[in-house]
Amino acid sequence: MRFNTFIEQFSCSLHSFAGALLTLFFIGAMASTNAHGQSIFTPGQTYFGTNSYIEYIAGNLPIIISAAHGGDISPSELPTRNCSTCVTVADAATQELVRAMGASMQRLFGCSPHIIINRLHRRKLDANREIVEAAQGNPQAERAWNEFHQFIDSAKRAVERSFGRGFYLDMHGHGHDIQRLELGYLLREDELRLPDDSLNRTKYIGFSSIRNLVGTNKQGAPHARLLRGDGALGTLLGQRGYPAVPSKQDPAPKEGDDYFDGGYNTARHSSYRGGTIDGVQIECNFIGVRDSPTAIRRFADSVAVVMQQFLRLYYAFLLPNACAITSVAQTRDHRDNTDTKGVEMLIFPQPATQELRFRLPLDWTGCCEINILDVLGNVMLRHGENDPIAGQEYTLATDVLPSGVYAVRVQSCAPQTSMRATSQKMLRTMMVISH
Ligand SMILES: [Zn+2]
């Protein structure tokens, strides 16, 4: 390995994962604090509030997902909520859904969304109501409520720091007859029945949970198009087999239809109240979305793709490479001993914990040899070139590696021809393991 090439590639990667290197100093389930007294959370790590009632999985995408009503624990220290207006029915399988969404997004983007889960059953805490109705004056329930929102606030600060703007998805489940997703942008059903021209007026933009996006989106799209035009979330979900309202296919709920227009969390954490994080409440129907682990996984995969399309269309993020190391392939030419720059390979997530994924260059098929080396050059993990690789993606289990910085060396298989000297390719880069 030529040392200057190694350093050059490391420098190219350094900017994108300097944060990951820094996080090595903050490993652990306890959040650290910065000079301003704010908590620092490591992407990929899970943090719990008091008594583990609230869970926060820190991410590194500009996407924040919460599940307020998917909890299933009912500790006896908390009284059962019993106010006359209290709803105590949980949103079945929405906790499982947001975890699946996290996994799908990581597979697609190579990075993780921020996920906040209220693990308490709704009969103990309603994390989508103001504190009085949510916790009914119980101090432990109030503490859990505060921790739920503080974790979302931390996620929002992290997104703003890294990307300047982002998107919040508050995931719920409804029991209405019509099997469609109900997207709540804080606009009532009668408002959604207004013509586009009306919805594009300042008054209705001011009510909207995507208020910031209206004036700042890449396409210059007006409010109504963002709600139900080409490229709107509802339209994109509908195109993937998940009918949604509002959307191009279904612009507004009809008179008499049941419909949820967005709750406390959407109002509090979206750009409706200012800021640069837009948001929506997604009320999921049950059939085909939450009724089996397979349905949940398929829906989660679809939401991930839709979010990728939506963010690419309307936000100026450089995705999906935000968290992946890009390495440059080199063709080794033995005749004059030079390296020629060529195609790219992605390695993600960074930092990695249990596994490291490789997206190989398109012309690398069949097999390759992967070596993970420690700083002294010792081979710590190896995938041999005789083990075939299906397709362009390969996953290497990294749970046996201690936390640290490693060199990665990937070599294409030796071709079975006399052209070996000019056809074998090698990639080198650095990566971080953080447990
Ligand atoms: Zn709900």
Side-chain angles (χ1 to χ4, degrees):
M1 180 183 296
R2 291 186 317 180
F3 189 67
N4 60 341
T5 306
F6 180 86
I7 291 296
E8 181 186 299
Q9 291 191 1
F10 179 65
S11 306
C12 292
S13 308
L14 191 61
H15 181 71
S16 62
F17 80 114
L21 284 171
L22 287 173
T23 58
L24 283 175
F25 300 103
F26 301 115
I27 292 166
M30 295 292 290
S32 307
T33 24
N34 66 12
H36 306 288
Q38 292 172 335
S39 297
I40 297 171
F41 299 97
T42 304
Q45 294 281 340
T46 300
Y47 301 87
F48 292 99
T50 308
N51 296 330
S52 301
Y53 293 158
I54 308 296
E55 179 176 344
Y56 171 39
I57 307 166
N60 42 14
L61 276 175
I63 300 171
I64 301 164
I65 305 170
S66 64
H69 295 155
D72 53 7
I73 57 174
S74 294
S76 55
E77 70 158 350
L78 299 178
T80 297
R81 298 169 60 245
N82 62 359
C83 64
S84 59
T85 55
C86 283
V87 179
T88 56
V89 181
D91 295 356
T94 49
Q95 180 176 165
E96 292 79 357
L97 173 59
V98 300
R99 293 185 194 281
M101 287 166 66
S104 297
M105 287 183 185
Q106 180 163 68
R107 275 196 299 277
L108 184 69
F109 292 107
C111 319
S112 311
H114 297 261
I115 297 176
I116 299 93
I117 296 168
N118 169 26
R119 299 178 69 233
L120 287 168
H121 193 280
R122 197 174 180 182
R123 70 174 79 92
K124 301 294 183 180
L125 177 71
D126 189 331
N128 191 27
R129 295 288 187 277
E130 45 69 36
I131 193 165
V132 175
E133 185 178 334
Q136 296 212 268
N138 178 271
Q140 285 100 323
E142 287 182 344
R143 184 166 55 196
W145 184 90
N146 278 312
E147 288 172 348
F148 180 84
H149 293 289
Q150 283 162 3
F151 279 136
I152 298 180
D153 288 338
S154 295
K156 289 169 72 177
R157 278 196 298 272
V159 167
E160 284 163 356
R161 262 199 316 271
S162 301
F163 297 93
R165 54 210 303 237
F167 207 88
Y168 169 58
L169 298 164
D170 191 33
M171 302 303 295
H172 293 264
H174 71 72
H176 300 157
D177 289 340
I178 304 178
Q179 295 299 304
R180 64 182 172 188
L181 305 168
E182 297 173 12
L183 273 48
Y185 295 97
L186 305 174
L187 297 161
R188 297 192 316 253
E189 49 265 54
D190 57 314
E191 292 167 340
L192 287 173
R193 285 195 286 273
L194 293 169
D196 286 359
D197 286 350
S198 302
L199 285 173
N200 290 338
R201 281 165 38 201
T202 311
K203 173 183 170 184
Y204 294 106
I205 295 169
F207 296 155
S208 176
S209 61
I210 51 169
R211 184 176 166 181
N212 178 66
L213 188 60
V214 176
T216 60
N217 73 82
K218 251 170 81 176
Q219 311 283 333
H223 190 209
R225 201 198 306 170
L226 295 170
L227 295 171
R228 59 191 180 197
D230 292 323
L233 282 178
T235 307
L236 296 171
L237 287 162
Q239 287 166 352
R240 302 195 77 81
Y242 297 97
V245 64
S247 64
K248 191 168 186 180
Q249 304 91 326
D250 190 358
K254 299 193 174 40
E255 226 161 305
D257 284 358
D258 287 322
Y259 171 71
F260 287 124
D261 59 14
Y264 176 85
N265 291 345
T266 310
R268 173 168 170 170
H269 294 295
S270 75
S271 61
Y272 165 70
R273 290 232 183 125
T276 57
I277 311 273
D278 301 292
V280 69
Q281 172 177 293
I282 301 186
E283 285 276 358
C284 301
N285 50 296
F286 189 69
I287 299 170
V289 176
R290 294 180 286 139
D291 56 354
S292 73
T294 308
I296 288 172
R297 211 164 35 243
R298 202 176 295 143
F299 178 61
D301 282 348
S302 296
V303 174
V305 172
V306 162
M307 285 306 296
Q308 187 183 46
Q309 290 176 293
F310 185 74
L311 294 177
R312 276 184 181 162
L313 258 178
Y314 295 117
Y315 293 79
F317 300 136
L318 289 172
L319 299 171
N321 298 349
C323 310
I325 292 180
T326 301
S327 189
V328 179
Q330 299 179 342
T331 305
R332 184 182 296 172
D333 188 330
H334 286 223
R335 286 167 302 188
D336 57 7
N337 203 28
T338 56
D339 288 343
T340 313
K341 286 192 175 180
V343 291
E344 287 188 335
M345 175 180 76
L346 295 181
I347 299 176
F348 56 91
Q350 279 300 291
T353 50
Q354 300 297 307
E355 61 182 35
L356 189 66
R357 295 170 70 85
F358 295 79
R359 195 168 295 164
L360 301 170
L362 279 175
D363 58 341
W364 289 33
T365 50
C367 61
C368 71
E369 183 181 318
I370 298 172
N371 285 291
I372 308 290
L373 298 88
D374 67 11
V375 288
L376 300 174
N378 301 309
V379 176
M380 304 295 286
L381 268 183
R382 184 167 184 277
H383 167 88
E385 74 165 81
N386 294 326
D387 302 324
I389 289 177
Q392 245 54 52
E393 293 225 354
Y394 180 72
T395 303
L396 188 67
T398 52
D399 48 348
V400 294
L401 288 179
S403 296
V405 181
Y406 296 86
V408 182
R409 200 172 63 203
V410 184
Q411 193 159 353
S412 67
C413 291
Q416 304 299 310
T417 70
S418 59
M419 295 296 287
R420 176 182 176 121
T422 55
S423 304
Q424 208 168 354
K425 296 165 184 173
M426 182 180 283
L427 300 103
R428 310 179 186 100
T429 190
M430 302 290 287
M431 64 102 177
V432 175
I433 299 289
S434 168
H435 294 295

